[in-house]
């Protein structure tokens, strides 16, 4: 049985997202720059805090604190917008 994530305003999470087949989705400096700008933009829009991040060529880690917007909505928006950018 899968355990449910405990969520509440102000919760702090370590989140990681990996590419399929270890594809280099963040392998170029331009992609990393865009990703960071996107995180910065969404931080303001969705009202969450970033305490740290690591960006590798095929995945990233975020240490973030949510506000009133739940974690799944923050991550869904971030991954959707980045994947749309990358696939273009």
């Amino acid at each position: 049985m899968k355990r449910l994530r405990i969520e509440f305003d102000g919760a702090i999470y370590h989140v990681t997202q990996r590419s399929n087949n270890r594809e280099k989705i963040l392998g170029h400096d331009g992609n990393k720059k865009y990703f960071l700008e996107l995180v910065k933009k969404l931080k303001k829009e969705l009202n969450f805090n970033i305490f740290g991040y690591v960006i590798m060529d095929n995945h990233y880690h975020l240490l973030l604190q949510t506000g009133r917007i739940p974690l799944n909505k923050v991550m869904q928006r971030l991954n959707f917008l980045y994947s749309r950018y990358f696939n273009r």
Side-chain angles (χ1 to χ4, degrees):
M1 182 164 97
K2 188 172 182 175
R3 293 174 52 192
L4 298 176
R5 179 186 306 116
I6 298 172
E7 293 196 40
F8 55 90
D9 291 0
I12 298 173
Y13 302 97
H14 169 241
V15 180
T16 185
Q17 183 69 41
R18 295 187 184 278
S19 65
N20 290 331
N21 303 317
R22 299 185 181 198
E23 183 180 356
K24 292 184 177 183
I25 59 171
L26 295 157
H28 300 287
D29 288 342
N31 291 350
K32 289 175 182 162
K33 182 178 178 181
Y34 176 82
F35 182 80
L36 286 175
E37 289 298 320
L38 183 58
V39 169
K40 183 178 175 181
K41 175 185 167 206
L42 291 177
K43 180 183 175 302
K44 290 178 186 176
E45 285 180 21
L46 302 177
N47 192 33
F48 61 88
N49 294 313
I50 295 283
F51 296 114
Y53 63 88
V54 175
I55 301 175
M56 307 298 283
D57 289 347
N58 67 347
H59 71 283
Y60 65 85
H61 298 260
L62 299 175
L63 184 59
L64 62 87
Q65 181 179 34
T66 58
R68 62 178 173 71
I69 307 295
L71 179 64
N72 68 321
K73 299 295 182 193
V74 171
M75 297 310 299
Q76 180 182 39
R77 184 95 171 120
L78 175 60
N79 290 326
F80 169 75
L81 291 174
Y82 185 77
S83 65
R84 191 171 70 177
Y85 157 82
F86 182 79
N87 289 328
R88 272 192 254 162

